[in-house]
Amino acid sequence: MSDTNSDSTPDQGTSRRTAMKAMGLTLGAAAFAKAIAPLTQWTADLSLDEFLQKHYKELSNDELANVIERLEAETKEEYGAEVEINDYRPEPGVQFGYALNLSICIGCRKCAEACHKENNHDRASQESYIRVLEMDKGSTNLENGNANYKHPVPKSDKYYMPVQCQQCDYPPCVDVCPVEATWKENDGIVVVDYNWCIGCRYCEAACPYHARRFNWTKPQVPKDQINPNQGYLSNRIRPQGAMEKCTFCLHRTRQGQMPACLEACPTGARVFGNLLDPNSTIRWVLENKRVFVLKEDLGTKPRFYYFFDE
Amino acid sequence: MNGDSQSTRTLQTTHFSGNYFRFLWRSFLLATEGSWLFYTWMTLLTAVALVGLNAWAVQVKEGMVLTNMTDHVSWGLYIANFTFMVGLAAGAVMMVIPAYIYHDRRMHDVVIVGELLAIAAIVMCLMFVVVDLGRPDRFWHLIPGIGRFNFPLSMLTWDVIVLNGYLLLNLHICGYLLYMRFLGRQPNPKWYIPFVFISIIWAISIHTVTAFLYCGLGGRPFWNTALLAPRFLTSAFVSGPAFIILALQIIRRTTSFHVGDGPIQTLVNIMRVTILINLLMIISEIFTEFYTGGTHTSSATYLYFGLHGHDALVPWIWSSIVATVLATLFLLCPKVTQNLWMLDIGCVLALVGIWIEKGMGLIIPGFIPSTLHELVEYAPSLLEWKITAGIWAAGLMVYTISLKIAIPIFTGETNLLRQNSKSA
């Protein structure tokens, strides 16, 4: 300040001005501290381990074990539930595929409900990875579909088309991710590292099937409703601000079980299995039914097939 | 300036670092000393910026559920403003090209006003991206080397490179020129002319890459058009000059910086061409959408006329079209350079028109209807408006301060030897 004091402004004016400035600075600093107070509270809850956590593919077995231990402890602390998180890896010789029989789907949304429970979705928003479209018979144009029907099903002039992640062989969502937080696994399942995702939502814009869901807030699930069998890359409770998606229930299917949506289906419209197994039902469907995929023109090569009986 | 040259020669022997710290200290003084108008303006901006900062802090803590974005409309006001600001940053090159390629002396004298605008606009772009992140604490995942940078596959990584590169280029050019002026030395062309030419190409790249972010998505037919990047550039070459014309007139009235009519006339001439090309491209897009028809037209129908009773964006886009057409009429009027009020209104209308068209009129309809053809509408929440206003205020602070420092150095009111006797 001494530099300016020698200038033309009279001393008295300068000192008053300096005093005003000091006051302004103090007020400004106080207002700044007040403004970022919510952020300081938030960072206090964020552990250094979490902040510095490496990408899933870079974690050694020991590091991953530590991360899982931390996540289990956090679930216990924040949700009050004892859960077991496992890192289920893809099996060699397995390529998963899914098919859905549109002739017998009745639009009951039991699949969406099962997904909601199995995958520990936020209860308030009634989130699910599956949306069921009610379609006009005589049209496969999605524009004529309606996902918000609230009447008894099935209606005779309609058919029903559940849509979930198509686990594309050329997934646009994976290409656009700036930080490689999402990728396609060796068995064909597209996964997200919930602890690496920065939440830019570019993948959500890129997905042509509305398959991705964002955690707009911290998911809330009552303690007794939490599914304790959790996969690190699938149904563990997701952090706020990260992206998530259908994983074909990899914590079940990589253990030889069927996806929750399939088990919940009352009509048997859903067929799931290993595309490399010539004796599997999914292979039989693909070889004997006239199947189609959604938005084939986009070149995404979905692993999710639709077919009609007749 | 001539009187100083003798003494500066002796000063060249003094240590670089000593002079550079004097330069920084003087810049700091210039940035904090001013008239009451300056203090009032800065206090106002600080207050708005703090409101925005607080809103952002709350958003990070409670989650983006406080915005009105959804899984259907997953980008909103932030990305809309981001897109517009990239245009403003790129548009500043419309001063650089006449000044350095066509050697327009009068433009050359004021080109710093455009280069500093590029800096402020890029800073705002980066802020708009950060507030759109669900996990700003994981920002380091984007840094090449320590994070996992999905280059060259993800267009967003290209955008990170071109935006930060453009920021560095302009920081270097402005910083170097200002420091040389401060020392009273002639800038050495080899230390900045190559960077100026790189920055011209780079300016084109920032808006092209930003258009590629959207137009490369096959699942979003509204954006999936080859015309997107040319439209981005053309509208940027309207909004950039429009903002600079307004800034030049304010500078002319509030500082001792000499701004002649020449540069303004040149910018008006540029806008007269670009605003017409922009209109032509809008008409071309509208024709292609509606004459063809079909499912791919749903977003455009929703935007311009509403779809199945949903019409939240209709008032926005028609305001934009009316503003752009009026701006065109004002700017094409031969008397516009004599009647500055006409020019000012024309520029404001052009800015408003393009802000809507590049923002709410481009980003939001890309999501409506959604990829499964569901119609979920979007209007920004109060929190989103607060954060947006905060970033605008912060950007204007950056611009005001950088001009406050640059102008006295450029006019020679202050340099290494001479104190700035009167505050602008």
Side-chain angles (χ1 to χ4, degrees):
Chain A
M1 283 295 154
S2 58
D3 275 9
T4 43
N5 282 355
S6 60
D7 278 350
S8 56
T9 19
D11 273 355
Q12 211 176 5
T14 307
S15 61
R16 193 172 66 216
R17 182 170 275 208
T18 310
M20 294 284 283
K21 268 192 194 173
M23 204 170 80
L25 195 68
T26 318
L27 273 176
F32 182 82
K34 185 98 177 118
I36 60 159
L39 207 57
T40 17
Q41 287 163 25
W42 181 76
T43 42
D45 290 342
L46 185 75
S47 70
L48 190 64
D49 285 345
E50 187 186 344
F51 177 70
L52 293 176
Q53 187 179 322
K54 290 193 274 187
H55 188 278
Y56 171 80
K57 290 182 182 174
E58 288 168 13
L59 290 170
S60 68
N61 287 341
D62 284 351
E63 286 168 331
L64 183 63
N66 286 336
V67 168
I68 285 178
E69 200 178 315
R70 191 189 82 226
L71 290 171
E72 287 172 346
E74 278 174 10
T75 313
K76 174 81 183 150
E77 188 190 331
E78 291 163 21
Y79 295 87
E82 294 277 0
V83 301
E84 193 190 324
I85 301 175
N86 281 297
D87 176 35
Y88 300 102
R89 302 268 165 138
E91 295 285 320
V94 175
Q95 292 291 330
F96 287 122
Y98 214 144
L100 200 147
N101 187 343
L102 293 168
S103 297
I104 57 173
C105 174
I106 54 170
C108 65
R109 295 192 182 117
K110 289 276 186 228
C111 52
E113 189 188 331
C115 173
H116 178 71
K117 290 176 180 159
E118 176 69 27
N119 289 304
N120 293 311
H121 280 289
D122 177 50
R123 289 303 186 254
S125 53
Q126 299 194 316
E127 202 49 89
S128 167
Y129 295 136
I130 304 173
R131 284 187 90 72
V132 184
L133 298 177
E134 187 179 68
M135 308 279 288
D136 288 339
K137 277 187 179 164
S139 169
T140 51
N141 190 346
L142 292 174
E143 203 175 8
N144 303 325
N146 170 23
N148 298 311
Y149 58 89
K150 292 188 177 77
H151 48 74
V153 287
K155 282 183 84 175
S156 60
D157 56 340
K158 305 284 185 188
Y159 72 98
Y160 299 85
M161 178 185 269
V163 183
Q164 62 205 74
C165 178
Q166 312 281 302
Q167 316 289 357
C168 307
D169 278 351
Y170 298 109
C173 54
V174 168
D175 289 351
V176 299
C177 177
V179 294
E180 299 176 0
T182 181
W183 65 91
K184 193 173 176 69
E185 296 249 287
N186 288 338
D187 55 2
I189 298 174
V190 176
V191 294
V192 180
D193 182 347
Y194 309 124
N195 281 42
W196 189 259
C197 169
I198 59 172
C200 71
R201 309 186 300 291
Y202 196 10
C203 55
E204 199 167 28
C207 172
Y209 305 102
H210 188 63
R212 292 193 165 237
R213 302 286 183 275
F214 187 66
N215 285 280
W216 299 96
T217 187
K218 189 181 167 73
Q220 294 303 330
V221 191
K223 176 184 161 186
D224 52 334
Q225 292 177 25
I226 288 177
N227 175 7
N229 171 25
Q230 301 185 353
Y232 183 81
L233 292 174
S234 62
N235 66 336
R236 70 177 160 102
I237 298 178
R238 276 75 66 190
Q240 171 177 307
M243 193 58 71
E244 58 175 82
K245 63 180 289 298
C246 163
T247 59
F248 278 176
C249 283
L250 65 80
H251 53 282
R252 298 169 61 98
T253 48
R254 283 180 182 171
Q255 297 288 96
Q257 287 177 281
M258 286 292 159
C261 48
L262 183 145
E263 288 195 347
C265 180
T267 64
R270 289 171 171 269
V271 179
F272 180 85
N274 180 4
L275 295 169
L276 298 181
D277 175 2
N279 301 317
S280 63
T281 322
I282 183 88
R283 277 288 287 270
W284 185 86
V285 167
L286 297 186
E287 281 157 19
N288 294 286
K289 296 288 180 181
R290 281 162 295 163
V291 299
F292 72 97
V293 293
L294 284 184
K295 304 192 185 188
E296 189 176 9
D297 52 323
L298 295 180
T300 52
K301 294 237 181 280
R303 290 261 182 128
F304 200 101
Y305 304 88
Y306 294 92
F307 64 101
F308 292 97
D309 263 345
E310 300 306 321
Chain B
M1 295 292 283
N2 286 343
D4 297 335
S5 59
Q6 189 64 39
S7 37
T8 43
R9 205 171 302 280
T10 57
L11 275 163
Q12 283 177 5
T13 52
T14 56
H15 287 298
F16 164 81
S17 59
N19 282 344
Y20 197 69
F21 280 118
R22 275 187 203 99
F23 169 65
L24 290 180
W25 175 243
R26 193 73 61 78
S27 299
F28 173 75
L29 291 180
L30 284 170
T32 51
E33 282 287 340
S35 63
W36 283 109
L37 181 67
F38 172 73
Y39 288 131
T40 313
W41 172 240
M42 290 303 283
T43 308
L44 180 76
L45 292 180
T46 309
V48 177
L50 285 175
V51 168
L53 180 67
N54 178 251
W56 177 64
V58 172
Q59 177 190 288
V60 172
K61 181 165 181 275
E62 305 294 331
M64 299 188 84
V65 68
L66 296 177
T67 71
N68 278 351
M69 289 184 270
T70 57
D71 283 323
H72 289 92
V73 185
S74 49
W75 282 337
L77 193 62
Y78 305 145
I79 296 299
N81 273 281
F82 160 77
T83 311
F84 174 79
M85 291 319 302
V86 177
L88 214 51
V93 82
M94 283 295 122
M95 289 183 93
V96 179
I97 290 176
Y100 288 98
I101 295 189
Y102 294 105
H103 302 291
D104 178 337
R105 283 300 311 166
R106 291 170 303 177
M107 187 64 91
H108 196 278
D109 291 340
V110 293
V111 68
I112 191 90
V113 173
E115 289 163 337
L116 292 175
L117 173 65
I119 292 175
I122 292 287
V123 168
M124 288 171 73
C125 288
L126 298 177
M127 286 195 275
F128 275 118
V129 172
V130 170
V131 299
D132 192 62
L133 294 182
R135 295 302 297 230
D137 56 312
R138 298 182 187 164
F139 190 79
W140 64 273
H141 297 179
L142 256 177
I143 300 170
I146 58 169
R148 281 176 81 98
F149 201 56
N150 190 12
F151 184 83
L153 216 47
S154 170
M155 276 298 124
L156 205 51
T157 58
W158 284 75
D159 224 19
V160 168
I161 293 170
V162 294
L163 290 177
N164 285 296
Y166 193 60
L167 179 62
L168 291 177
L169 277 170
N170 279 289
L171 281 174
H172 165 72
I173 294 165
C174 295
Y176 176 73
L177 290 178
L178 282 175
Y179 184 51
M180 286 300 121
R181 289 273 191 155
F182 177 77
L183 293 179
R185 275 167 34 191
Q186 201 64 27
N188 184 346
K190 95 173 172 201
W191 286 111
Y192 77 103
I193 295 291
F195 295 99
V196 169
F197 282 92
I198 294 170
S199 85
I200 291 173
I201 298 162
W202 212 282
I204 312 286
S205 83
I206 61 170
H207 223 18
T208 306
V209 168
T210 305
F212 287 179
L213 278 182
Y214 311 113
C215 72
L217 305 181
R220 306 275 174 194
F222 185 70
W223 295 336
N224 193 212
T225 158
L227 202 52
L228 207 68
R231 263 190 82 184
F232 269 36
L233 287 168
T234 317
S235 63
F237 298 155
V238 178
S239 60
F243 193 92
I244 292 165
I245 287 174
L246 294 173
L248 285 175
Q249 299 212 53
I250 293 170
I251 291 167
R252 179 147 76 174
R253 281 177 182 76
T254 56
T255 74
S256 58
F257 198 43
H258 176 72
V259 180
D261 288 333
I264 293 181
Q265 178 71 56
T266 307
L267 290 170
V268 170
N269 289 343
I270 291 169
M271 285 175 74
R272 279 175 171 164
V273 177
T274 52
I275 204 166
L276 283 176
I277 299 177
N278 192 42
L279 269 181
L280 175 72
M281 289 191 185
I282 294 175
I283 293 166
S284 175
E285 286 241 274
I286 290 178
F287 170 80
T288 313
E289 290 275 12
F290 292 110
Y291 193 83
T292 315
T295 307
H296 284 194
T297 312
S298 309
S299 290
T301 310
Y302 167 74
L303 175 64
Y304 287 101
F305 307 109
L307 193 62
H308 308 311
H310 299 274
D311 53 8
L313 289 180
V314 175
W316 286 88
I317 197 65
W318 287 104
S319 305
S320 165
I321 288 179
V322 169
T324 310
V325 170
L326 284 178
T328 312
L329 295 176
F330 272 109
L331 288 168
L332 290 180
C333 179
K335 285 183 189 159
V336 72
T337 41
Q338 277 98 60
N339 297 333
L340 286 178
W341 62 270
M342 275 177 80
L343 182 59
D344 293 343
I345 295 176
C347 288
V348 170
L349 285 170
L351 277 174
V352 170
I354 287 167
W355 180 75
I356 295 174
E357 184 221 307
K358 282 279 105 38
M360 295 296 285
L362 178 90
I363 304 305
I364 315 306
F367 295 100
I368 307 172
S370 77
T371 47
L372 295 184
H373 293 271
E374 292 180 62
L375 274 160
V376 176
E377 299 200 275
Y378 163 83
S381 71
L382 180 62
L383 177 116
E384 288 174 86
W385 283 116
K386 281 184 191 170
I387 292 178
T388 301
I391 294 175
W392 272 88
L396 286 172
M397 278 169 86
V398 171
Y399 195 41
T400 309
I401 289 176
S402 54
L403 285 170
K404 187 76 175 37
I405 295 168
I407 288 172
I409 293 179
F410 261 76
T411 56
E413 276 170 51
T414 189
N415 59 38
L416 185 58
L417 301 167
R418 192 193 302 165
Q419 289 290 344
N420 183 20
S421 53
K422 51 181 188 299
S423 300

